[in-house]
Amino acid sequence: MIRPLLAATALALLPSLAPVPATAQPAAACSHRGALDDAFCDENRDLVADTPTDPARLRNPSTLVFAYTPVEDPALYASQFRPLLDYLTTCTGKRTVYFQVTSNAAQVEAMRSGRLHIAGFSTGPTAFAVNLAGAVPFAIKGNEQAFEAYRVVVVTRANSDIRTLTDLRGRRVAHTSATSNSGNLAPRALFPALGVTPDTDYRVLYSGGHDRSVMGVNAGDFDAAPVASDVYHRMVGRGQVQGANMREVWQSDPFPTSSFALAHDLQPELAARIRQCFYDFRFPAAMSRDLGGNDRFWPATYLREWAPVRVVADAAGAPYTRAAFDIESRRELEAEARRLATPPATPRPQ
């Protein structure tokens, strides 16, 4: 009874884009918004929300709230990012706390409603956060040489007869969530030219996350799944799945990984300080190990680094609009409800 009850609760809590707080309402005159929601303005045409010019609309919170994309277990990231939050508390002079979110939609809504000041958004949902929540991406994690990129990889079980993309025809394939670049939009944009079309040539089942897709393939619940390579390789490295039991059958060209973004209406001096704190921070050894060997944050902009992601969305016919967000939010919650209503799977013998 517990799982069906939780499933019903998840659907009842379907997030929608709440009215923007008074402090985030648009100025009376705005000559250019582009793809941004009516609450924001983009006079300088850099594709992100401008900082309000009215001092009364700027925020200087006493406590900073941070959330990271729920591409894996949210509780896992709360522990991994603790050194960063401790550093931000010291560096900014403001207590910084972790806000645990369970879906991309909930994270976007949290920033839009003013409950979230700093966030690491997954690659695809970054665009929703920019257009609908006023997020301003400023960094990507990386190492001494460059910022991190990932590829879309299609994984299956090692004993599967799936060896090419066209072998996906007639199969059950896990996509992560409708807003995900690597887990949904990129496959929909790229696969047709390679001989297989999602929903036409194979059945799409939304898993609710990259880790859930990988574990579902490992357990035999799905025949294959397109996932972010960085997440998959971290799971193998941690022993969550055995690499010998899995096979990669295809990979894409690289995309940027999660963006780190600020709310657009933070006081400029505070926003500048937070950015510099990120750039100065060096990951301790355990955090670096958990985050794929990365040890720092690189400056980044939505205009430049997210250009290939916007191209994929255009090709997939998936605009980052409020209507699309509402549809995809419902899909996320329906997938979560199904997951909660289904007993955990037992891995099948190899």
Side-chain angles (χ1 to χ4, degrees), residues 22 29 34 55 58 82 125 133 148 207 232 248 250 304 315:
L58 297 173
R82 172 51 53 190
E148 182 184 30
S207 69
Y232 171 63
E248 297 181 33
W250 180 85
R304 183 178 61 245

Side-chain angles (χ1 to χ4, degrees), residues 27-116:
C30 179
S31 65
H32 181 75
R33 287 194 176 90
L36 301 181
D37 189 77
D38 288 347
F40 313 111
C41 198
D42 181 24
E43 298 285 9
N44 63 3
R45 298 176 185 257
D46 63 355
L47 305 186
V48 298
D50 296 338
T51 302
T53 56
D54 180 359
R57 295 174 57 217
L58 297 173
R59 292 189 294 155
N60 186 19
S62 58
T63 297
L64 297 173
V65 181
F66 171 87
Y68 191 65
T69 174
V71 294
E72 297 173 73
D73 181 3
L76 180 67
Y77 283 124
S79 173
Q80 290 177 350
F81 278 96
R82 172 51 53 190
L84 172 63
L85 302 191
D86 290 344
Y87 180 81
L88 289 175
T89 295
T90 301
C91 185
T92 65
K94 293 178 179 290
R95 178 169 174 257
T96 308
V97 299
Y98 191 91
F99 178 53
Q100 186 167 304
V101 294
T102 57
S103 72
N104 294 314
Q107 188 184 26
V108 172
E109 171 59 22
M111 180 163 282
R112 178 180 172 88
S113 64
R115 301 192 305 273
L116 190 59

Side-chain angles (χ1 to χ4, degrees), residues 128-139:
F128 278 117
V130 167
N131 289 351
L132 305 181
V136 180
F138 67 92

Side-chain angles (χ1 to χ4, degrees), residues 256-312:
T257 58
S258 303
S259 70
F260 289 82
L262 294 171
H264 79 293
D265 57 354
L266 294 181
Q267 189 180 71
E269 295 80 8
L270 174 60
R273 183 61 184 157
I274 294 171
R275 287 188 179 95
Q276 194 59 53
C277 292
F278 267 79
Y279 300 148
D280 292 343
F281 179 66
R282 293 296 178 267
F283 302 4
M287 182 177 174
S288 177
R289 182 189 65 245
D290 289 339
L291 295 177
N294 295 301
D295 67 352
R296 67 194 66 197
F297 294 101
W298 281 75
T301 67
Y302 180 70
L303 177 66
R304 183 178 61 245
E305 275 71 31
W306 259 256
V309 179
R310 296 193 299 274
V311 168
V312 161

